Amino acid sequence: MSSLFLTPDRSKSKKAPLGGSKQASACVAWGHFPLDHAPLSDEAAYALIDRPTDQLLAPAGALRDKGHGEAVSFSKKVFIPLTQLCRDVCHYCTFAQTPRKMPAPYLSIEQAVEIARRGAQAQCKEALFTLGDKPELRYAAAREALDAMGYDSTISYLVDVCKAVFEETGLIPHVNPGLLGREDLDRLRAVSISQGIMLESASERLCEPGGAHYGSPDKLPAARLETLRLAGEAGVPFTTGILIGIGETRRERIDSLLALRRLHRRHGHIQEIIIQNFRPKPGTQMAKTEPPSLEEHVWTIAAARLIFGAEMNIQAPPNLQPEALKQLIDAGINDWGGVSPVTPDHVNPEAPWPHLNALAEATKRAGKTLVERLALYPGYVRRMQQWVDPKFHTRVLQATDGQGLAYAGEWTAGSQVPPPSNALLWTGKTARSPQAVGELGSILRRAQAGRALGEAEIARLFRAHGSEFAAVCKAADEIRAAVNGDTVRFVVNRNINYTNICSYRCQFCAFAKGRGAEDLRGKPYDLPLDEIQRRVLEAWERGATEVCMQGGIHPSYTGHTYMEICETVKQVVPEMHIHAFSPLEIWQGAQTLGMPLKEYLQRLKQSGLSTLPGTAAEILDDEIRAVICADKVSTGQWMEVMRTAHAVGLKSTATIMFGHIEGYEHWARHLLLIRELQAETGGVTEFVPLPFVHMESPIYRKGRARRGPTFREALLMHAVGRLALHPHVPNIQASWVKMGEAGVEACLNAGANDLGGTLMNETISRSAGASHGQEMTAPRMEALLRSMGRVPRQRSTLYEDVPEAIQLRAREARAPIQPLQPLMRKHVKREKDVSLA
């Protein structure tokens, strides 16, 4: 192992004594640190050694806030001590035992699974395997136990235990087995989501007689750094860190941190840096050694943050400084590590884990919000294809949100599960009025002034938690109040999905019926024209001013079909507003006739088409579309249809269907395209967030998608949509079908001002598993809005007032006649060149 991995370049350190270079010295002395993504140079890092702790706190905290906002994370885990035998004799350790003190050298697979099962019942997601380093090389009892079980090494046994725990409980293994070669790293990568080894210290001096690591061959810095290097080559997300107070100097701590930074810069595999404080334990050689002071701990955390920069995860275990959690946060940590509601900390048994409610409260008192993560940090979750064995992909996807944190709460779009109470508190009328500061405050002020935000700024808004989340919702609601007042509008309409037969293979769609394995429940249908007319007439009698019509892409449909449907509606109710045909249907219709988009849209308008639903957008990013709807219109084609429709005088809505495989950066790109479109054409009437309903979706059932957005994310889409699209899009709509009544109330306190349509026959969301009903009548909608203290107003599709006589029909409407299905129509084949005159 090259000395490059042990200490920084000594020539540099000699040139930078405690005062460092003039530039670095001045920088540190005045507390001026770079707050972009460029961390300190090696020279500037050594200049920290003599700097007072209080000079480091503000810049370290600012860097942490830049990279992680208000969130401080933890992993809910169980601790599985597979063996406490170890060939090392670290002078501070009580974890390692001798065979005579243990009932058996190893836990059995059944014992490990039972511990994990208790963790699963407590909603843990991580199984942390901790074990001594290669005990079979020291103890005959370990060798004999492995032989009896049919294994040649502790690592071989660990591989099988990890498999059993994951397969039987769903808990995802993280392993800390000590020094590893490349072959063992690869074997463990296949059965664990992440691995770890504490460097503890890069000081070889501590391995000499009298040092804390004397007699412990696996604590040689070169050996541990070699394991870290090999882990990087193997593409293993890795946890590491340093242990302070075991006899090292500040300079040696900087040596250690810089050695780790060099490895991470080369491979990008270090997930977190743990700054752990030594605690003396009775019965050890270091029992009477003074522990490091809190100030030393805080200084080291701040130095680590400044050395690694904004993005790195810096952790301190909360059970080792239980009275100083605020100080640890102020120093720059953004993570508490693994916390178990089930098992003790076997490495520090004298220090019980804090109760999670108490930890959340302590984190809140420090001005931050506790959030749950997996053993795999969010940045690696978002790049699973690179970092994680495929067998874990489904479990990770279905356990995480769009940021890569653990999915919070039980609420899902379209379900009857009530929203989490904390999110409702943040957005209610009696909620606190938080004032956003720093970067977030600057972003919100620019948005409220109507200035365009960048992709990174919009993505930052989506990462808001706790009081930051409340501040985003509040800022959006202030715009809503200024633009729309307390009036909430809705349209009385009827959905007519004229066919569910579709030749496309959108991976998220549970509505369409076609050939092959994509088919789900329900039978195919294709409504005859007289059935469409019957439903239109019934809707008109019930006070509807709009029919919203979309369907599958039937293989027999041509551009003529869509014109014929419009003409059919107008024949029976000329006054009915036809809100119909997604950009995909428009594109397909024009293609079948070989007609330019503009000409085809003009023909549809002549046939009676009034406005377009801006659906088929899903996520306007071709990276995502290639996965969820590869044969659908591209982002550019969707935008082309919308621009052309607006140019011929057809206004439209704009939608986003979110919460499946995409991330916050994709949401930001989508919003920027909608803003660009509206600034250019002015043709968008409202923005409609559509949370992904996962239950019956093919992509979810195949294990390739998340379970929709969390409630926090769903609210933020309405709030951030308002902020990012201001002042161009005046209306933000909340879907009662997907959000439920409590959900739409929260949305109306987070920037939304519209409840969309009464629907009468909603089938697409229900096909995917939504359970909020097929209709919300006008009286019910009005009563709901009045109970919220809002002013309900029935509107037309184009946000015009509706005559009182029609409103009266809507209020007195009887229940609709349920349509008969399946119904099929026959299609007349037409040639592309048939005259449309």
Side-chain angles (χ1 to χ4, degrees), residues 586 597-598 601 605 609 612 639-652 681 683:
I586 300 294
L597 273 175
K598 183 175 181 180
L601 282 161
K605 189 177 179 183
L609 181 63
L612 273 65
M639 292 285 286
E640 183 182 353
V641 171
M642 300 304 270
R643 283 193 179 99
T644 308
H646 296 169
V648 302
L650 292 169
K651 290 186 178 293
S652 72
T681 71

Side-chain angles (χ1 to χ4, degrees), residues 568-627:
T568 294
V569 172
K570 290 296 187 179
Q571 285 171 8
V572 291
V573 183
E575 302 93 336
M576 186 68 79
H577 184 105
I578 302 176
H579 183 62
F581 314 136
S582 71
L584 174 60
E585 291 167 291
I586 300 294
W587 185 272
Q588 185 257 359
Q591 291 287 308
T592 61
L593 299 178
M595 185 178 290
L597 273 175
K598 183 175 181 180
E599 183 179 349
Y600 182 57
L601 282 161
Q602 288 171 332
R603 297 285 187 171
L604 283 170
K605 189 177 179 183
Q606 291 168 8
S607 297
L609 181 63
S610 310
T611 53
L612 273 65
T615 50
E618 326 317 349
I619 298 293
L620 292 175
D621 185 286
D622 288 333
E623 174 189 5
I624 301 301
R625 299 180 80 80
V627 178

Side-chain angles (χ1 to χ4, degrees), residues 302-514:
R305 174 58 69 193
L306 294 169
I307 288 168
F308 280 93
E311 300 299 328
M312 178 56 75
N313 299 295
I314 307 292
Q315 180 202 123
N319 59 322
L320 303 186
Q321 290 280 20
E323 304 304 320
L325 300 186
K326 184 179 187 303
Q327 291 94 318
L328 302 183
I329 289 175
D330 290 345
I333 69 159
N334 68 286
D335 190 80
W336 293 124
V339 178
S340 179
V342 175
T343 53
D345 180 352
H346 290 277
V347 176
N348 299 283
E350 81 288 354
W353 300 116
H355 191 283
L356 287 175
N357 289 340
L359 185 61
E361 185 57 36
T363 305
K364 182 179 178 181
R365 286 197 299 271
K368 303 298 177 187
T369 300
L370 187 67
V371 298
E372 187 182 354
R373 61 168 172 86
L374 305 190
L376 193 70
Y377 274 87
Y380 295 84
V381 169
R382 297 194 299 270
R383 294 174 288 151
M384 276 197 305
Q385 298 297 327
Q386 175 185 354
W387 291 104
V388 177
D389 189 271
K391 72 168 59 68
F392 296 111
H393 287 187
T394 293
R395 176 71 178 115
V396 171
L397 273 172
Q398 296 182 356
T400 53
D401 64 14
Q403 186 176 350
L405 291 168
Y407 192 100
E410 297 300 316
W411 180 92
T412 57
S415 75
Q416 294 289 344
V417 176
S421 57
N422 59 339
L424 296 176
L425 287 173
W426 283 118
T427 57
K429 287 279 188 181
T430 59
R432 292 183 297 162
S433 299
Q435 296 298 320
V437 297
E439 179 189 44
L440 185 76
S442 176
I443 295 171
L444 293 178
R445 287 189 293 273
R446 288 199 298 278
Q448 287 188 308
R451 294 171 59 185
L453 303 179
E455 179 185 317
E457 292 173 312
I458 295 173
R460 171 68 179 87
L461 296 179
F462 282 118
R463 294 199 301 272
H465 293 266
S467 63
E468 285 191 343
F469 163 75
V472 172
C473 293
K474 175 176 177 286
D477 205 47
E478 287 173 352
I479 297 176
R480 185 272 311 160
V483 173
N484 309 103
D486 281 338
T487 298
V488 179
R489 290 174 168 81
F490 65 92
V491 61
V492 176
N493 67 348
R494 184 171 199 168
N495 274 15
I496 300 178
N497 303 119
Y498 36 78
T499 184
N500 65 352
I501 298 170
C502 189
S503 57
Y504 282 69
R505 291 292 181 267
C506 297
Q507 294 299 301
F508 55 84
C509 183
F511 167 74
K513 307 294 173 239

Side-chain angles (χ1 to χ4, degrees), residues 24 27-36 38 40 44 48 51 55-60 63 306:
C27 177
V28 176
W30 294 100
H32 294 158
F33 292 93
L35 297 185
D36 56 14
L40 294 183
L48 299 175
R51 298 303 156 191
Q55 289 187 6
L56 309 188
L57 295 181
L63 273 176
L306 294 169

